[in-house]
Amino acid sequence: ESLNELEAFTYRSRDLVDDDDFVKFLKQDQLTVLKQKVADTSDWLHGDGSDAKTADFQERLKSLKDLINPALKRRKESASRPARLQALQDSLKNAQALIDIMERQIKQDEADYSSSTLAASSSASSTDESAASSTSTEAAASESPSSSADPLEDLEEDPYSTSSSKTSTTTSSPKPTGPTYSIFQPSDLTTATNTYESTKAWLDTHPAEQDKLTESDEPALSVSEIDTWNRELERILRRMYQKITA
């Protein structure tokens, strides 16, 4: 089994070293070493390798894979990176659009609250002025005795009466402590904005670093990193969209 695996990988390696689309992901010295290893392994398989132990097959297979696999990974990264970058850029555009909606909604809710608070304050002032005017009128009337008043009226009044004319209780409704937000809270806006800004800052720097590298260099902008940032951004977006549809 080890022999068959080594033979198959050796044939594949021989094809790859003649593939211009592959060799550009190897540095020249790596390509030279790889060609030599492929030739040596092929000769060994048709010679001493026929009686070799499993460990010998595995060692030679590993020496080939150590050169081939990193180059294959760089090629795959190079092919996948543009689409992944575009997906992340699209997510950023969606996030910016959503943040704009959130900002407008929160500002409108706060403006509505300010207007209602101002209206309530004006209404309360008018009520207080009316009450004060009424109290002044009643006080003036009580100070001027009527000629037709019954002199026994005061004696007939029950001093322990609980009539509402003597005692009045005013119950004030609690005042709102702040705006009632229709969909998004300010904390939602903060979360979305922070995630957007950190993702954009990362994306603004790393592609430039990647552009400085050759195809045979280890990438500064890996597909897995791009996907990680995109997943986190999409997670926040999904949470906010759920608030809209709730």
Side-chain angles (χ1 to χ4, degrees), residues 156-222:
E156 293 173 354
E157 267 189 38
D158 184 355
Y160 301 100
S161 171
T162 57
S163 169
S164 60
S165 63
K166 288 291 183 179
T167 306
S168 62
T169 303
T170 303
T171 303
S172 59
S173 57
K175 295 181 179 180
T177 57
T180 299
Y181 295 100
S182 54
I183 301 176
F184 300 110
Q185 303 290 323
S187 59
D188 295 328
L189 178 59
T190 299
T191 298
T193 301
N194 288 344
T195 304
Y196 169 84
E197 290 179 349
S198 60
T199 303
K200 189 174 185 302
W202 181 84
L203 190 59
D204 285 345
T205 56
H206 284 69
E209 294 176 9
Q210 180 63 41
D211 290 342
K212 298 175 184 177
L213 303 176
T214 66
E215 292 169 314
S216 61
D217 290 322
E218 286 302 308
L221 186 64
S222 70

Side-chain angles (χ1 to χ4, degrees), residues 48-114:
D48 297 338
S50 57
D51 298 324
K53 297 179 180 179
T54 299
D56 295 328
F57 293 124
Q58 291 175 342
E59 182 180 352
R60 286 183 176 272
L61 178 63
K62 182 180 182 301
S63 68
L64 288 174
K65 285 185 174 181
D66 286 345
L67 285 170
I68 294 287
N69 288 347
L72 288 174
K73 183 179 179 181
R74 288 191 290 272
R75 184 171 71 171
K76 183 178 180 181
E77 287 270 329
S78 179
S80 302
R81 190 179 298 113
R84 296 295 217 287
L85 278 173
Q86 186 60 54
L88 182 55
Q89 290 166 350
D90 290 343
S91 294
L92 280 170
K93 290 179 182 178
N94 293 336
Q96 182 60 72
L98 181 59
I99 287 171
D100 291 342
I101 292 172
M102 296 170 74
E103 287 177 340
R104 288 196 297 271
Q105 174 245 295
I106 289 173
K107 286 180 181 179
Q108 185 60 54
D109 289 343
E110 290 175 347
D112 292 344
Y113 170 74
S114 298

